[in-house]
Amino acid sequence: MNQPSHQPKAPLLMKEQVAPIPPSKKRKRKAFDYKPRELLLFILLFIPLSVMLIPFLYMVSISIKTDGVVLRTLADILPRNPSFDNYAAVLANGNFARYLGNSLFVSSSIVIGNVFFCTMVGYTFAKMTFPGKNLIFILVLTSFMIPFQVTMIPVFQLMQNIGWIDTYKALIVPTLVTPFGIFLMRQYISGLPDELIYAAKVDGASEFRIVWQIIFPLAKPIVAVLVIMTFLNSWNDFLSPLILTTSPEMRTIPLGLAEFSFLNNTNWGHLMAASVVSLLPVFIIFVFFQKQIISGLVSGAIKT
């Protein structure tokens, strides 16, 4: 009987191991290595950007000029002998430093109040159920459409009756919570999953803890949008401090800038230097929050 031949089995066919293809290096574009459509788009975007930058360059140029001469042509934008004497004079002005401090305190307080109250109210409208919720939210949206000029006189009379005229309370309390902030937070929180809230309630978390330990960290992008929008509105507000304050010690930056401008005797160098200084806090906030602002705007657009 023939014995089966013990021949070695042929090795199993294995898949060919293909060496990973190294990622191709992106070829750097050379100058003018763009399609005509891209060049046209670049030109169309550059024109409005230049129009917006010219006033800013005009302001900076006058602020570092020593002669205080107003620019007459674009060729005068670059000063021959730049100097920061105007900035030193403005910062040495005790009144301007007071106005700057008032604006920082008032704007920061309003931002903190809006973040705190608008987050809680937005969460209430988005995730809680109570009688008349939709009607109350419609009233909030209605008040959002009413301009401040309509409520200006009632607010002044109310502040006067309770004795808050010419105080920080009159500048801060009426805008501690705004319809815009409530609407913004409500729209974003509505898109967050309810399962997170249910799981937190099962673990025994209170509503307050849910808001600040679960909802708030997830809503940081839209909170950044709320911070920058609220700060801008408060920082640039001219009308409220004008009607709610009477003493120079309570004035803010917009009113302080008006002091540098007179009908026939305006020191343009000091005025422009003060304007540049007043822009620095807004610029700093945008630099720190720009990623969150873009993320919040994009996510908000997708959710709504």
Side-chain angles (χ1 to χ4, degrees):
M1 191 171 179
N2 295 331
Q3 295 290 337
S5 59
H6 296 282
Q7 297 179 356
K9 295 181 179 180
L12 296 175
L13 295 177
M14 300 179 66
K15 294 182 180 180
E16 295 182 358
Q17 296 182 354
V18 181
I21 301 175
S24 58
K25 296 182 179 180
K26 293 183 179 180
R27 181 175 61 91
K28 293 183 178 180
R29 285 189 172 184
K30 299 179 180 179
F32 305 105
D33 187 13
Y34 292 90
K35 298 179 181 179
R37 183 178 179 181
E38 294 177 341
L39 285 175
L40 179 61
L41 180 60
F42 176 79
I43 295 173
L44 292 177
L45 293 176
F46 181 77
I47 292 176
L49 177 62
S50 301
V51 173
M52 291 189 300
L53 286 179
I54 286 176
F56 178 76
L57 295 177
Y58 181 91
M59 177 177 63
V60 174
S61 177
I62 294 180
S63 69
I64 58 178
K65 288 174 68 69
T66 56
D67 51 8
V69 177
V70 179
L71 305 183
R72 295 179 176 86
T73 63
L74 291 178
D76 297 333
I77 287 184
L78 296 178
R80 298 178 181 178
N81 298 314
S83 174
F84 293 95
D85 293 341
N86 292 325
Y87 290 92
V90 167
L91 295 177
N93 189 330
N95 291 334
F96 184 80
R98 175 76 180 190
Y99 304 153
L100 186 63
N102 288 341
S103 288
L104 287 174
F105 176 72
V106 171
S107 300
S108 301
S109 301
I110 292 175
V111 167
I112 294 173
N114 273 264
V115 171
F116 182 79
F117 292 112
C118 292
T119 301
M120 293 196 298
V121 177
Y123 169 79
T124 303
F125 281 119
K127 298 299 183 181
M128 298 182 68
T129 302
F130 54 90
K133 181 179 76 171
N134 294 332
L135 177 60
I136 297 175
F137 186 68
I138 291 175
L139 293 177
V140 171
L141 293 181
T142 303
S143 63
F144 177 46
M145 302 174 188
I146 300 175
F148 174 74
Q149 289 77 4
V150 176
T151 60
M152 177 175 59
I153 296 178
V155 168
F156 173 79
Q157 291 180 340
L158 177 62
M159 296 296 106
Q160 188 178 39
N161 292 335
I162 61 180
W164 283 6
I165 292 295
D166 203 34
T167 63
Y168 288 117
K169 292 178 288 187
L171 298 176
I172 297 173
V173 173
T175 52
L176 274 180
V177 56
T178 57
F180 171 76
I182 294 174
F183 173 76
L184 196 67
M185 297 304 297
R186 186 259 184 189
Q187 292 302 105
Y188 189 90
I189 296 174
S190 297
L192 299 179
D194 296 334
E195 289 76 9
L196 295 174
I197 300 175
Y198 295 150
K201 289 182 178 180
V202 170
D203 292 337
S206 63
E207 297 288 355
F208 189 83
R209 185 177 179 184
I210 291 173
V211 172
W212 297 110
Q213 292 188 358
I214 297 176
I215 300 299
F216 185 77
L218 297 176
K220 282 184 179 179
I222 206 65
V223 170
V225 177
L226 178 62
V227 167
I228 188 66
M229 296 297 294
T230 305
F231 188 86
L232 280 175
N233 291 334
S234 175
W235 187 264
N236 296 325
D237 188 12
F238 179 83
L239 195 56
S240 295
L242 180 64
I243 65 174
L244 296 176
T245 61
T246 56
S247 62
E249 291 77 14
M250 295 301 303
R251 291 175 182 171
T252 55
I253 279 291
L255 297 180
L257 292 178
E259 285 192 2
F260 289 94
S261 178
F262 299 95
L263 184 61
N264 297 319
N265 187 20
T266 299
N267 191 325
W268 292 104
H270 290 180
L271 177 61
M272 295 303 158
S275 300
V276 173
V277 172
S278 67
L279 290 177
L280 292 180
V282 178
F283 178 76
I284 293 173
I285 287 181
F286 180 79
V287 168
F288 279 99
F289 289 98
Q290 58 179 335
K291 292 183 180 180
Q292 290 81 359
I293 292 171
I294 296 174
S295 175
L297 292 175
V298 173
S299 60
I302 294 174
K303 290 179 183 297
T304 55

